[in-house]
């Protein structure tokens, strides 16, 4: 029971975000006794994914200003005279300016069935902030998934532990057994596997179906909405870690299918592989040769220093102007391939980003990116599962009152939880959001602006509806950040059929709505009644059915010395950063682990059952049919493409 935990561990981890979960898994794998706790009632922290009703509960939680009172008033009696305490936050303050809007048809929603959903939404196009605050409390976790290895590991998402089969186009699909169980549980027909993406979109030429708010609520469990929007580079640090540690067996992935660009008010597809360039109808033959020549140079730029040495102090945008590239090619390279800022990125950084993009092409498909089925929130849970398999103990809804510090040595000795239990450990990992204002008084945080939209069409219609797209919208004014747009289709298991889930992210300059609404208005229609098509006009924009805006704290890149009075054996993990990939979280996790255990390997692969030598007790248990040995190592779901389209 959570109120009767062991009094001593090797490592206590507070928070279940991605870096904390990776560290917990690495520590447990190396034989350390790990306690992993979170005051929230879901896994992932700001890296989590929610169903639709779960997101409404999260909105309500972040709009309440009530303070949480101590459950155990006399925990200070556990503190000795030669000890002092560092109090921890009881409420997450990393989310601000949450604004939700419903633009869909305001039909009667009295027959909504999903728990925790709103009974009715406000008038057309108005904020649902106040109505969300009146939503009844849910008893269960908003995230339809529990920790691997803990009680009730019967996730509705049915994470696969079987080898995945690669479908056409190098896309890893869900295996039929899991998909069948998932859809049967939600009372819907199963997705027929073995069909190509073209077959999935039989009615692509027809008008989009009219989606009502009640339908979104009823199908709410079909949504897995990420708080942070990221993709996985196919040769990035996170993919390499998933493969190396064999954690990839706990999740499945879908290849991002296209890279888009927004230029002169239009969305168009960017040719990024060699085959795409040759097949492109957007580029003239001269442009194709220019692009091929430049991208080939980027792959080998270190071997030709004379070509960029004079521009080291220039921006990448200025360097591109010297390379005899047309304005459209410069735009594609800057915003859709390198994906860097026009004003803040120097030449060397731009060349490195372009080379990284090109090196990731062809490993799993025609783009450099993968997306985890059921959302980004699956990744922290996969590492939590690995930790649990190797003996880690997990407690949600388990807040920690304080860190107990020895005055003489200055090292942290223990934590005191909300039950009044004193738990000792050698090392402590704390997510930044748990640190009190007195510790963070000298820390300067950045902010991220986020928006999540549910839409009825893709931003760029094609024959196939099942597209995973990434689009960078350049800033209108100099000095403003570009906006990264990721559009997910229903085959990613993040939204219901006939809808798309669109994530927008950029570094904050104002509130999220002020930063992102201009981009939303460029790409989408917010009012279906005033956006009627007339003869001679282009096809109408995709319609936004529902939207939420919020600002999220970016605590990445903060120097440890910025935190006041932090003991040497307490390590701080940051929340999500503004980058598209996850390299920052993986680097941070590995750095902290190596500082704690410099002689241990970071997240090695689990041993094969054939290699395990059991003691007498385990042999006896095995003979009687009660074998607690690690499960058989299945084949990784990350299967590399056999035919690579490399530069």
């Amino acid at each position: 029971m959570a109120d009767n935990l062991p009094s001593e561990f090797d490592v206590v981890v507070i928070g279940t975000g991605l870096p904390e979960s990776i560290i917990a898994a690495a520590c447990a794998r190396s034989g350390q006794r790990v306690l992993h706790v979170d005051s929230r009632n879901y896994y992932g922290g700001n890296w989590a994914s929610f169903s639709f009703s779960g997101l409404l509960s999260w909105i309500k939680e972040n709009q309440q200003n009530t303070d949480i009172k101590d459950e155990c008033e006399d925990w200070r009696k556990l503190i000795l005279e030669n000890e002092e305490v560092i109090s921890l936050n009881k409420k997450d303050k990393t989310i601000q300016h949450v604004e939700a809007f419903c633009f869909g048809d305001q039909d009667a929603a009295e027959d909504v069935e999903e728990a925790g959903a709103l009974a009715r939404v406000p008038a057309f196009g108005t904020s649902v902030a106040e109505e969300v605050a009146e939503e009844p409390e849910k008893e269960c976790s908003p995230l339809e998934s529990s920790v691997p290895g803990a009680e009730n590991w019967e996730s509705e998402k049915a994470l696969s532990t079987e080898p995945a089969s690669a479908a056409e186009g190098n896309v890893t699909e869900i295996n039929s057994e899991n998909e069948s169980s998932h859809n049967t549980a939600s009372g819907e027909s199963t997705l027929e596997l073995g069909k190509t993406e073209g077959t999935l979109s039989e009615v692509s030429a027809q008008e989009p179906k009219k989606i009502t708010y009640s339908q979104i609520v009823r199908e709410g469990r079909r949504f897995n909405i990420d708080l942070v929007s990221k993709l996985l580079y196919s040769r990035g640090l996170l993919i390499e870690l998933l493969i190396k540690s064999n954690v990839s067996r706990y999740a499945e992935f879908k290849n991002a299918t296209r890279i888009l660009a927004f230029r002169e008010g239009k969305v168009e597809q960017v040719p990024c592989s060699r085959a795409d360039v040759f097949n492109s109808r957007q580029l003239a033959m001269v442009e194709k040769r220019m692009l091929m020549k430049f991208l080939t140079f980027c792959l080998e730029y270190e071997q030709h220093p004379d070509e960029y040495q004079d521009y080291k102090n220039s921006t990448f945008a200025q360097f591109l102007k010297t390379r005899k590239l047309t304005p459209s090619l410069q735009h594609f390279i800057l915003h859709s391939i390198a994906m860097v800022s026009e004003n803040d990125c120097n030449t060397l950084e731009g060349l490195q980003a372009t080379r990284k993009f090109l090196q990731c092409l062809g490993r799993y498909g025609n783009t450099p990116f993968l997306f985890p089925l059921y959302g980004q929130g699956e990744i922290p849970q996969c590492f939590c599962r690995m930790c649990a398999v190797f003996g880690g103990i997990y407690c949600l809804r388990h807040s920690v009152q304080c860190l107990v510090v020895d005055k003489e040595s200055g090292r942290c000795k223990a934590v005191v939880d909300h039950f009044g239990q004193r738990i000792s450990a050698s090392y402590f990992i704390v997510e930044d959001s748990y640190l009190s204002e007195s510790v963070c008084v000298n820390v300067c945080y950045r902010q991220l602006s986020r928006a999540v939209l549910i839409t009825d069409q893709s931003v760029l219609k094609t024959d196939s509806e099942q597209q995973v797209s990434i689009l960078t919208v350049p800033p209108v004014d100099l000095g403003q950040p570009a906006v990264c747009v990721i559009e997910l289709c229903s085959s990613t298991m993040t939204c219901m059929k006939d809808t798309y889930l669109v994530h927008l992210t950029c570094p904050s300059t104002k509130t999220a709505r002020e930063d992102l609404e201009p981009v939303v208005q460029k790409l989408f229609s917010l009012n279906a009644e005033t956006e009627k098509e007339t003869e001679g006009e282009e096809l109408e924009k995709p319609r936004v059915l529902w939207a939420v805006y919020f600002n999220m704290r970016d605590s990445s890149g903060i120097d440890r010395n910025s935190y006041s009075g932090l003991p040497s054996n307490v390590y701080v993990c940051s929340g999500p950063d503004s980058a598209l990939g996850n390299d920052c979280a993986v680097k941070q996790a590995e750095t902290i682990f190596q500082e704690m255990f410099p002689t241990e390997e970071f997240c090695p692969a689990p041993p094969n059952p054939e290699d395990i030598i059991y003691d007498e007790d385990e042999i006896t248990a095995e003979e009687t049919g009660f074998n607690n040995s690690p499960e058989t190592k299945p084949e990784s779901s990350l299967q590399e493409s056999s035919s690579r389209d490399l530069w």
Side-chain angles (χ1 to χ4, degrees):
M1 294 294 290
D3 58 350
N4 190 24
L5 293 169
S7 60
E8 189 174 347
F9 290 86
D10 296 314
V11 181
V12 172
V13 183
I14 305 172
T16 51
L18 181 58
E20 303 96 85
S21 300
I22 294 174
I23 294 170
C27 291
R29 178 67 186 89
S30 66
Q32 310 300 320
R33 297 167 298 169
V34 177
L35 173 64
H36 201 171
V37 301
D38 200 325
S39 63
R40 305 174 181 92
N41 59 354
Y42 54 87
Y43 287 92
N46 285 347
W47 304 79
S49 303
F50 294 102
S51 69
F52 187 70
S53 66
L55 187 65
L56 297 181
S57 297
W58 178 86
I59 290 172
K60 171 189 172 183
E61 182 182 332
N62 282 281
Q63 289 176 333
Q64 290 177 336
N65 295 318
T66 54
D67 291 328
I68 302 171
K69 295 182 180 179
D70 292 346
E71 291 185 25
C72 177
E73 298 289 345
D74 53 345
W75 60 268
R76 294 185 182 275
K77 296 177 182 177
L78 300 171
I79 310 304
L80 306 178
E81 289 185 4
N82 64 335
E83 296 172 343
E84 58 185 1
V85 300
I86 298 176
S87 297
L88 298 181
N89 281 339
K90 314 226 172 11
K91 183 174 173 58
D92 184 4
K93 299 178 181 179
T94 60
I95 305 296
Q96 296 177 326
H97 309 300
V98 182
E99 298 179 80
F101 300 87
C102 182
F103 300 96
D105 290 339
Q106 303 295 292
D107 59 340
E110 288 146 5
D111 56 344
V112 276
E113 297 179 2
E114 198 190 353
L118 294 178
R120 181 175 280 278
V121 293
F124 182 86
T126 56
S127 172
V128 299
E130 295 178 4
E131 281 76 1
V132 168
E134 296 173 6
E135 178 192 359
E137 277 290 346
K138 287 180 67 179
E139 292 182 2
C140 58
S141 164
L143 187 61
E144 264 78 39
S145 168
S146 56
V147 144
E151 284 188 4
N152 299 327
W153 173 249
E154 294 295 330
S155 170
E156 283 197 22
K157 299 175 188 175
L159 286 180
S160 171
T161 56
E162 297 296 326
S165 58
E168 288 185 30
N170 306 316
V171 174
T172 308
E173 298 289 355
I174 306 171
N175 69 52
S176 57
E177 180 181 346
N178 280 350
E179 179 64 8
S180 175
S181 63
H182 179 80
N183 287 335
T184 303
S186 58
E188 297 197 0
S189 60
T190 58
L191 178 66
E192 185 178 348
L193 295 183
K195 291 189 176 182
T196 62
E197 291 181 348
T199 313
L200 285 169
S201 56
E202 297 172 352
V203 223
S204 59
Q206 294 182 3
E207 290 276 334
K209 293 183 180 178
K210 200 170 185 180
I211 306 294
T212 64
Y213 179 74
S214 288
Q215 286 177 279
I216 293 174
V217 172
R218 280 194 212 97
E219 301 288 338
R221 297 195 180 192
R222 283 306 203 185
F223 290 90
N224 288 291
I225 303 170
D226 295 327
L227 292 185
V228 60
S229 177
K230 289 183 177 292
L231 294 173
L232 284 72
Y233 280 92
S234 64
R235 296 188 187 277
L237 295 180
L238 184 55
I239 287 290
E240 299 301 338
L241 180 62
L242 287 166
I243 295 171
K244 171 190 172 185
S245 62
N246 206 21
V247 171
S248 59
R249 61 182 171 172
Y250 298 135
E252 292 184 277
F253 303 85
K254 183 175 178 64
N255 183 234
T257 54
R258 59 186 183 177
I259 311 293
L260 304 178
F262 185 78
R263 184 168 176 266
E264 296 178 352
K266 295 180 182 179
V267 176
E268 42 192 7
Q269 188 163 346
V270 176
C272 46
S273 69
R274 189 185 294 269
D276 286 345
V277 172
F278 281 117
N279 294 329
S280 174
R281 295 180 180 179
Q282 303 164 243
L283 304 178
M285 186 57 67
V286 176
E287 287 182 308
K288 291 179 181 180
R289 290 187 186 131
M290 288 178 180
L291 183 60
M292 292 283 293
K293 183 178 179 181
F294 179 76
L295 295 180
T296 304
F297 158 73
C298 289
L299 275 173
E300 305 167 347
Y301 76 90
E302 290 177 332
Q303 300 174 21
H304 307 282
D306 296 342
E307 297 197 36
Y308 65 88
Q309 287 288 355
D310 295 340
Y311 304 97
K312 272 191 172 182
N313 297 324
S314 305
T315 65
F316 188 51
Q318 291 170 336
F319 174 71
L320 291 176
K321 292 176 182 177
T322 68
R323 300 296 301 182
K324 298 180 181 178
L325 297 168
T326 63
S328 60
L329 291 182
Q330 293 176 34
H331 182 93
F332 288 162
I333 294 167
L334 186 67
H335 297 293
S336 301
I337 295 179
M339 298 182 187
V340 294
S341 167
E342 190 169 350
N343 301 310
D344 302 331
C345 176
N346 64 40
T347 299
L348 210 52
E349 291 169 342
L351 290 171
Q352 289 168 349
T354 305
R355 182 174 66 176
K356 180 180 180 179
F357 181 99
L358 297 172
Q359 287 176 335
C360 290
L361 284 171
R363 187 176 191 183
Y364 297 110
N366 209 31
T367 72
F369 303 110
L370 293 174
F371 181 79
L373 296 184
Y374 302 104
Q376 175 75 26
E378 291 300 293
I379 304 300
Q381 289 189 80
C382 291
F383 284 100
C384 289
R385 183 171 187 175
M386 177 181 175
C387 178
V389 165
F390 286 94
I393 295 178
Y394 279 84
C395 298
L396 288 185
R397 305 179 187 88
H398 198 100
S399 61
V400 175
Q401 304 285 1
C402 66
L403 305 174
V404 181
V405 180
D406 182 72
K407 290 181 179 179
E408 292 182 8
S409 64
R411 289 176 64 84
C412 186
K413 298 168 61 176
V415 295
V416 177
D417 68 9
H418 65 295
F419 288 114
Q421 300 175 97
R422 180 176 169 131
I423 301 168
S424 301
S426 301
Y427 298 100
F428 301 85
I429 314 297
V430 184
E431 182 195 329
D432 175 89
S433 65
Y434 284 90
L435 297 176
S436 64
E437 293 180 5
S438 61
V439 176
C440 304
V441 66
N442 296 321
V443 177
C444 294
Y445 291 113
R446 298 180 298 275
Q447 296 286 325
L448 299 178
S449 289
R450 290 276 294 115
V452 181
L453 317 177
I454 299 173
T455 67
D456 64 346
Q457 298 178 58
S458 173
V459 291
L460 182 62
K461 293 187 210 174
T462 58
D463 293 338
S464 173
E465 294 177 352
Q466 300 303 310
Q467 300 278 5
V468 178
S469 310
I470 176 170
L471 164 68
T472 302
V473 180
V476 177
D477 301 320
L478 288 177
Q480 296 294 310
V483 176
C484 177
V485 181
I486 296 176
E487 182 184 71
L488 305 173
C489 59
S490 59
S491 64
T492 61
M493 305 302 155
T494 59
C495 58
M496 62 181 277
K497 189 179 178 183
D498 299 319
T499 65
Y500 289 84
L501 194 65
V502 183
H503 293 273
L504 295 90
T505 310
C506 75
S508 298
T509 58
K510 305 172 185 176
T511 67
R513 185 181 172 193
E514 291 172 317
D515 281 338
L516 298 174
E517 195 170 50
V519 175
V520 172
Q521 291 172 344
K522 285 180 183 178
L523 298 174
F524 303 97
S525 166
L526 299 180
N527 190 331
E529 295 181 3
T530 60
E531 188 83 14
K532 298 293 185 182
E533 265 191 317
T534 58
E535 290 184 9
E537 284 191 22
E538 297 177 10
L539 293 173
E540 70 175 290
K541 299 175 183 176
R543 190 162 62 98
V544 177
L545 306 173
W546 188 87
V548 63
Y549 298 89
F550 59 91
N551 289 93
M552 176 185 290
R553 179 192 292 176
D554 178 2
S555 54
S556 63
I558 293 174
D559 186 65
R560 178 188 172 84
N561 296 326
S562 300
Y563 298 104
S564 303
L566 205 63
S568 59
N569 61 334
V570 175
Y571 299 90
V572 181
C573 287
S574 63
D577 62 338
S578 60
L580 180 62
N582 298 273
D583 285 4
C584 180
V586 177
K587 285 178 183 176
Q588 184 180 52
E590 184 169 9
T591 300
I592 290 174
F593 177 81
Q594 296 295 351
E595 285 184 23
M596 294 190 295
F597 308 107
T599 60
E600 297 287 345
E601 184 180 356
F602 179 63
C603 280
N608 290 319
E610 298 82 10
D611 299 333
I612 299 174
I613 301 175
Y614 302 102
D615 60 28
E616 292 182 4
D617 294 337
E618 288 174 323
I619 292 172
T620 305
E622 188 176 17
E623 290 172 352
T624 57
F626 298 100
N627 183 14
N628 294 323
S629 64
E631 57 191 281
T632 304
K633 174 183 174 182
E635 189 179 328
S636 170
S637 64
L638 287 170
Q639 299 178 1
E640 293 196 26
S641 168
S642 56
S643 58
R644 300 185 182 179
D645 184 17
L646 298 177
W647 285 91

